[in-house]
Amino acid sequence: MRYSSIDILRMIAIFVMVFVHFSENLAGYTPRFVGLGAPLFALLSGVSYQLWVSGQQAAGRSEAEITKISVRRGLFVLVLGFVFNVFVWFPEELFNWDVLTFIGAALLFLNFARHLPLPVCVLIAVMSLLISPLLRGLANYNSYWTTGYFETDLTLTDLWVGFTTTGYFPFFPWIAYSLAGFVTASILFADSQVDDNVEAPEPPPVWPTMLCGGALVLSAAGLLMARPYLPSMIGQKLLGGWTMFPPTIEYVLATSGGGLFLLGLMHQLVDRNPAALRQTRLLNIAKTFSRYSLTIYVLHHVAHLWPLWIYGLAMGVEPTYFWQHATSLPAAFAWASVFLAICYCIFNRIGPNERHGIETWMRWLCD
Amino acid sequence: MPSIERSPKTNEQRPTSLSSALAAFPRGTDLQSIAFVTTTAKEASEPRRILLEFPPAIQRRALLLSPGDPLAADLIILTVPSNPATTEESQTTAESEMLLSQLRIWVEAAAIAGQPPGHLMTLQGAQIFWNQSRLAIHAPAERLETIRTALLEAAFYEAELGNLERTLGAAWPQLEADAPLAFEFEERAIKKRKVLQQRFQQVMLLRARLARIAPQIHCPHVHPPTLASQVGERFRERTRLVHRHEILAEQLEVFEKIYEACGQRASDYVQTRSSNTLEWVIIVLLVSQVLLAGFEILTSLSP
């Protein structure tokens, strides 16, 4: 079952990421809404995975088949992440642990987690959040970020540390987003696949999801405000203020809480609102961006980074010479808008129900 | 489990047609609308005449309804007394056949689709036609009351058994769908637990209803026999009440076994899941500790 609320949220996540990346990489400006797109994207990966599993089970697929497809899909996204690092960035960036490698790993982990009771999934999410500052402390996080960017040596230890703790999107605590999405979808969309033999149940209430999300946001706000007054052991080492690199407890709580709140709110306002569901034109826009989100994620990097590298080489300077000072901020935003408009035109022409792009390759190879 | 009950017409819909039907029958013909109500429904009993009080286990009584009574009738009984001045031998065959034909037509007018339109029973000068909602008795006037009471009782048990049969008959597809859960329970079936619980309870209720009428269905023949007792016994034989009761008991046993096993599997599954959750919590905490320790060792070994 397809939910328009998820399409809308995924579209928002993609829009945020496109505008942030264009402005950062072309104009060297970090917008205020930086760090909001990727958490939503990761959260929705968990939601979508749960809905996909429910759909497969309802279609009568065996557990073994679902596992095989899940593993293949996870590996596909993981490998795609490495290919992306090499070709969009540079070969030396192979192990920078970007969002695609994380989502690939998360899909592999979710395939394991789907067999666990939901409270255990929640516990894993909480533990991953709590141990991540400790792991960062043990790994000496700042030593991997001396230039403001993640740098690592090609040693087994550094690869492991980068993947779990110090990379751009480390497994700990980012897996908390995917698990939060997975658990929420299990509860919120419990009526998505109704057994023919059971009377259609009442749709689960939305307010617990929104309440949970709101509580997480409030607790993050409370921690941020209380942090200066807390002992340095907690305030400095366990908490870390509002930062995406590293993803602090406050940051993860606020962004995951905000995502959950938005998910509940949109589900109530869109999926359970017949008037909203009649806005097919607007919903089709969201559906188009949502269906091609993976393709758009890869393409938008290619669209704004490759010209920089090529132009740099053509000018006889370092490929990264124009990185972060190629255009002004308004121009960067304009390019981002043009890119999204072109994407919409192309993918809308193909049709939201047609399958092309990287998503099609994944299905062809994995399903 | 859907409950399929007969839906008799209310008396408000009936009086005209039934009263006009009386005109076609000989003098002394009587028409009674009867409702079977629970003994606890005092407000239903108060203004009405109680025709029959069933045994305490059944907790029902038969009430006589007046024309225009808002209470729905479960059974309509037409009693036609035999002429006391004439004997069977003196009554002309043509008259007798016409009356029987009229009774048959009256009974069959209320036939339910898919059910036999009517049955005929003759015993010692008493002729009885019936189907699920109508009963016509043609018997000597002095015996009409006792025959009516005997048939009223037997008809109630037959109707009760018919209701049980229909309810159970409609539940077979559900049972077939639920049967796999009697062998193996899984996470996806958790949301069906409440439904399974309700179905098990409903099976037990059906079992109880069946058990409550068992003494009356299996009761031995009365000795010395009377016409009324013989009519009641013959009615039970003709409607195969004993056989049907046994079959229903066997079928209910199948339902009971399957839903009992479903309940057991569901309970086992939930208990196992709870203990598994606790084990997983311990495992996660241990893995976290191992991860931290391993990380510490790994980073301390780095150059």
Side-chain angles (χ1 to χ4, degrees):
Chain A
M1 190 168 177
R2 194 163 191 96
Y3 290 96
S4 296
S5 58
I6 297 172
D7 287 338
I8 292 169
L9 289 178
R10 194 175 282 122
M11 181 183 75
I12 292 170
I14 277 289
F15 272 45
V16 168
M17 284 196 283
V18 167
F19 277 101
V20 166
H21 292 152
F22 269 73
S23 63
E24 273 189 341
N25 295 329
L26 295 182
Y29 175 79
T30 305
R32 282 180 176 270
F33 49 85
V34 70
L36 299 179
L40 193 55
F41 205 61
L43 187 89
L44 293 175
S45 73
V47 173
S48 297
Y49 181 75
Q50 204 287 329
L51 289 174
W52 177 79
V53 169
S54 297
Q56 298 297 308
Q57 286 171 338
R61 280 244 165 103
S62 68
E63 286 300 308
E65 275 182 295
I66 295 172
T67 298
K68 282 177 188 171
I69 297 171
S70 296
V71 170
R72 285 199 291 257
R73 282 184 168 211
L75 290 175
F76 178 89
V77 179
L78 191 71
V79 172
L80 178 73
F82 288 128
V83 173
F84 171 85
N85 290 344
V86 170
F87 287 97
V88 173
W89 296 101
F90 297 102
E92 57 266 32
E93 296 290 328
L94 176 62
F95 294 110
N96 69 6
W97 307 110
D98 203 357
V99 72
L100 289 180
T101 47
F102 163 71
I103 287 179
L107 286 177
L108 292 172
F109 185 76
L110 286 177
N111 177 53
F112 159 74
R114 72 187 174 88
H115 299 289
L116 301 178
L118 289 184
V120 176
C121 292
V122 174
L123 179 72
I124 294 172
V126 171
M127 289 308 294
S128 75
L129 185 59
L130 288 178
I131 66 166
S132 57
L134 307 179
L135 294 176
R136 284 198 292 271
L138 287 171
N140 193 8
Y141 183 87
N142 290 334
S143 66
Y144 291 87
W145 288 75
T146 48
T147 55
Y149 305 103
F150 174 63
E151 285 177 329
T152 184
D153 294 330
L154 282 177
T155 64
L156 204 56
T157 302
D158 273 7
L159 290 184
W160 172 245
V161 170
F163 170 72
T164 55
T165 312
T166 58
Y168 279 102
F169 293 90
F171 194 78
F172 300 108
W174 276 82
I175 193 61
Y177 290 107
S178 302
L179 285 169
F182 181 81
V183 171
T184 306
S186 302
I187 298 164
L188 192 61
F189 304 113
D191 58 336
S192 63
Q193 304 293 340
V194 179
D195 196 332
D196 292 339
N197 195 30
V198 180
E199 288 173 27
E202 280 285 304
V206 168
W207 64 265
T209 304
M210 292 175 67
L211 189 71
C212 183
L216 289 175
V217 172
L218 286 177
S219 57
L223 287 175
L224 281 171
M225 284 190 287
R227 188 170 160 256
Y229 309 104
L230 292 171
S232 63
M233 184 70 178
I234 297 171
Q236 300 296 325
K237 297 197 172 171
L238 196 62
L239 307 174
W242 183 267
T243 61
M244 185 181 182
F245 305 112
T248 58
I249 288 179
E250 303 95 297
Y251 170 80
V252 175
L253 285 178
T255 48
S256 60
L260 292 181
F261 185 84
L262 277 177
L263 183 63
L265 186 70
M266 296 302 280
H267 186 52
Q268 181 67 36
L269 293 181
V270 181
D271 300 329
R272 296 185 183 179
N273 181 4
L277 290 175
R278 280 196 291 272
Q279 306 294 325
T280 48
R281 200 166 173 173
L282 290 173
L283 295 180
N284 261 341
I285 295 174
K287 192 176 173 183
T288 303
F289 279 107
S290 175
R291 283 229 153 165
Y292 293 101
S293 56
L294 186 57
T295 306
I296 292 172
Y297 180 81
V298 174
L299 270 184
H300 90 273
H301 277 95
V302 172
H304 78 283
L305 288 178
W306 278 13
L308 284 188
W309 309 155
I310 293 166
Y311 188 67
L313 284 173
M315 291 290 111
V317 290
E318 281 286 307
T320 56
Y321 183 80
F322 295 103
W323 183 51
Q324 293 196 324
H325 41 80
T327 63
S328 64
L329 181 63
F333 275 169
W335 280 118
S337 304
V338 168
F339 170 79
L340 287 170
I342 291 172
C343 275
Y344 176 70
C345 290
I346 293 171
F347 293 128
N348 189 48
R349 195 174 175 81
I350 294 169
N353 296 321
E354 294 294 320
R355 300 291 172 88
H356 292 282
I358 297 171
E359 289 85 354
T360 317
W361 304 347
M362 184 172 75
R363 288 194 178 86
W364 177 78
L365 199 66
C366 307
D367 289 5
Chain B
M1 190 179 294
S3 175
I4 300 173
E5 300 286 343
R6 200 173 57 212
S7 54
K9 292 171 184 171
T10 62
N11 282 3
E12 285 166 344
Q13 297 168 295
R14 261 194 337 266
T16 319
S17 58
L18 291 180
S19 304
S20 60
L22 274 179
F25 294 103
R27 270 201 312 181
T29 300
D30 190 21
L31 189 70
Q32 290 183 327
S33 297
I34 287 140
F36 299 112
V37 298
T38 54
T39 48
T40 50
K42 294 246 187 264
E43 65 284 358
S45 311
E46 270 169 6
R48 303 176 179 96
R49 189 181 142 207
I50 298 170
L51 288 179
L52 181 67
E53 195 85 49
F54 288 95
I58 294 169
Q59 291 200 323
R60 290 286 184 94
R61 57 172 58 125
L63 298 180
L64 179 64
L65 304 179
S66 52
D69 198 306
L71 202 63
D74 294 307
L75 184 67
I76 301 168
I77 301 182
L78 182 74
T79 47
V80 184
S82 309
N83 190 346
T86 59
T87 59
E88 279 184 33
E89 289 77 23
S90 62
Q91 199 173 17
T92 63
T93 314
E95 279 175 342
S96 174
E97 279 182 359
M98 182 181 277
L99 182 61
L100 290 179
S101 173
Q102 281 175 317
L103 291 176
R104 181 192 294 276
I105 290 165
W106 181 80
V107 166
E108 289 181 357
I112 295 169
Q115 300 282 337
H119 306 275
L120 167 66
M121 183 167 75
T122 305
L123 188 73
Q124 295 179 20
Q127 275 118 7
I128 296 140
F129 284 99
W130 81 90
N131 63 17
Q132 289 196 322
S133 55
R134 287 189 178 183
L135 184 62
I137 308 165
H138 181 229
E142 69 276 10
R143 290 177 171 181
L144 263 180
E145 189 60 38
T146 51
I147 291 175
R148 180 165 54 198
T149 307
L151 283 171
L152 186 61
E153 190 182 2
F156 169 77
Y157 297 130
E158 201 277 330
E160 183 71 355
L161 218 51
N163 279 338
L164 289 172
E165 284 169 341
R166 281 188 290 276
T167 308
L168 208 59
W172 281 104
Q174 288 171 349
L175 182 85
E176 284 169 16
D178 293 336
L181 297 177
F183 178 73
E184 190 175 23
F185 211 79
E186 54 190 359
E187 187 67 31
R188 284 156 63 191
I190 286 284
K191 56 188 169 192
K192 286 180 73 177
R193 264 183 80 206
K194 202 165 184 176
V195 177
L196 289 173
Q197 187 186 358
Q198 284 169 353
R199 287 179 188 163
F200 180 69
Q201 282 172 354
Q202 219 147 9
V203 167
M204 296 315 288
L205 285 175
L206 291 178
R207 187 69 141 167
R209 276 171 70 184
L210 195 69
R212 285 155 80 180
I213 59 171
Q216 280 66 43
I217 287 176
H218 292 282
C219 70
H221 290 185
V222 175
H223 189 80
T226 62
L227 178 60
S229 72
Q230 281 180 313
V231 165
E233 284 154 11
R234 183 70 68 85
F235 187 93
R236 279 190 286 163
E237 283 166 12
R238 287 291 305 275
T239 49
R240 300 179 296 113
L241 286 191
V242 175
H243 178 69
R244 284 162 65 193
H245 188 274
E246 284 170 1
I247 295 291
L248 264 179
E250 281 179 24
Q251 290 182 345
L252 271 171
E253 203 174 317
V254 175
F255 276 77
E256 208 178 307
K257 273 186 180 172
I258 288 183
Y259 283 114
E260 206 173 292
C262 285
Q264 190 62 43
R265 292 276 175 275
S267 172
D268 290 350
Y269 183 83
V270 170
Q271 278 183 358
T272 309
R273 198 175 64 154
S274 301
S275 57
N276 277 353
T277 302
L278 189 63
E279 285 166 15
W280 273 111
V281 167
I282 295 164
I283 289 168
V284 168
L285 293 175
L286 286 173
V287 167
S288 303
Q289 197 179 359
V290 168
L291 195 72
L292 282 170
F295 219 77
E296 195 171 6
I297 294 165
L298 202 64
T299 47
S300 66
L301 291 176
S302 302

